[in-house]
Amino acid sequence: MLDILKAIIFGIVEGITEWLPISSTGHLIILEELLQLNQGEAFFEMFQVVIQLGAILAVVVLYFHKLNPFSPQKTQKQKMMTWQIWIKVVIGCVPAGVIGILLDDWIDKVFYHWYVVALMLIVYGVLFIVVENYQRGKEPKATKFSQLSIQMVLIIGVFQMLAMIPGTSRSGATIVGALLIGVSRSLAAEYTFFLAIPVMFGASLLKLVKFGFGFTAMQFVVLLVGMVVSFAVSIVAIKFLMSYIKKNDFKVFGYYRIVLGILVFLFFGIQALLA
């Protein structure tokens, strides 16, 4: 029962931090120090990635009509526009997909350290503030999907690829990249959500295949609980973010990341000194 309670806590943290641009890894790395599942290290590593499936499902549910090219409620033109969204999502996923397949284990081995996470939290926190100040008063070049050029999509895709470094935040990196090239905040957020579907599904599937499907009954329950909670919390987080950015910029998330990055440095730095 204790592991189920821990799975609920992990699901809550994942559901909030996956969509707000504040780095799920930055939060999970601290939570990992405080809470450990009693299911083995391999399961725990897989669990932290696969609970993202619940978060993905939240996007699919909330944007099902917009993402469904077969909807009978859409005109032929609207269906074509929906296919264009998917084409741009696929193109945007190519950089991260290629690097993820080739270098997934190497990236985890080289970059998955607390000091890298802390540094990336701070770096992208500063970038949020700088980019928002740079774009202040400027009219966005793209406010709807039809205005996203292939060049724009590929640039955002490269930023998503950079987010494979822990602590960067996938949503944070893609939003920074999108804002930098003149994409509106709401479109940047939505495109980030849609990019997550193939990328996070692929990452979760990769971890599942590596772990294998020989779950114990308790492991299956723990994984399911984490996914369900992540789904429910993600619904709330996504709605909050889309409502928030209608009247506000992303700078508050930048300040939050800087503070969190400093806390991660202090938390693990003190531990290292005392060890």
Side-chain angles (χ1 to χ4, degrees), residues 155-172:
I155 291 172
I156 297 171
V158 169
F159 272 86
Q160 179 171 243
M161 178 188 70
L162 295 175
M164 297 182 70
I165 300 174
T168 300
S169 169
R170 192 199 56 79
S171 60

Side-chain angles (χ1 to χ4, degrees), residues 95-114:
V98 171
I99 297 300
I101 292 171
L102 297 177
L103 301 176
D104 180 57
D105 289 335
W106 181 81
I107 289 172
D108 281 349
K109 182 179 179 181
V110 173
F111 292 108
Y112 198 88
H113 303 288
W114 65 266

Side-chain angles (χ1 to χ4, degrees), residues 28-95:
L28 291 176
I29 196 173
I30 295 177
L31 190 59
E32 185 179 338
E33 287 292 308
L34 304 174
L35 298 177
Q36 280 282 350
L37 297 176
N38 299 315
Q39 304 296 327
E41 185 177 341
F43 174 82
F44 185 63
E45 181 184 340
M46 178 274 297
F47 168 83
Q48 292 185 84
V49 175
V50 176
I51 58 172
Q52 294 175 345
L53 288 173
I56 298 171
L57 186 58
V59 175
V60 173
V61 169
L62 285 173
Y63 291 95
F64 183 77
H65 178 71
K66 188 166 188 172
L67 292 172
N68 181 13
F70 305 106
S71 173
Q73 299 174 12
K74 290 182 176 180
T75 64
Q76 194 61 35
K77 182 179 178 181
Q78 288 173 326
K79 291 178 180 179
M80 290 298 296
M81 293 299 292
T82 305
W83 280 116
Q84 284 186 27
I85 291 175
W86 276 111
I87 290 169
K88 290 175 181 179
V89 166
V90 171
I91 293 172
C93 288
V94 169

Side-chain angles (χ1 to χ4, degrees), residues 12 56 72 87 119 125 143 175 177 195 200 241 247 251 265:
I12 292 171
I56 298 171
I87 290 169
L119 181 62
T143 58
I175 288 172
L195 280 176
M200 289 166 61
L241 181 63
K247 299 180 180 179
K251 285 197 285 188
F265 265 124

Side-chain angles (χ1 to χ4, degrees), residues 19-30:
W19 304 115
L20 303 187
I22 54 179
S23 175
S24 59
T25 307
H27 291 77
L28 291 176
I29 196 173
I30 295 177

Side-chain angles (χ1 to χ4, degrees), residues 192-209:
T192 293
F193 298 157
F194 300 165
L195 280 176
I197 296 174
V199 168
M200 289 166 61
F201 180 80
S204 299
L205 184 62
L206 193 61
K207 290 293 183 184
L208 272 173
V209 169

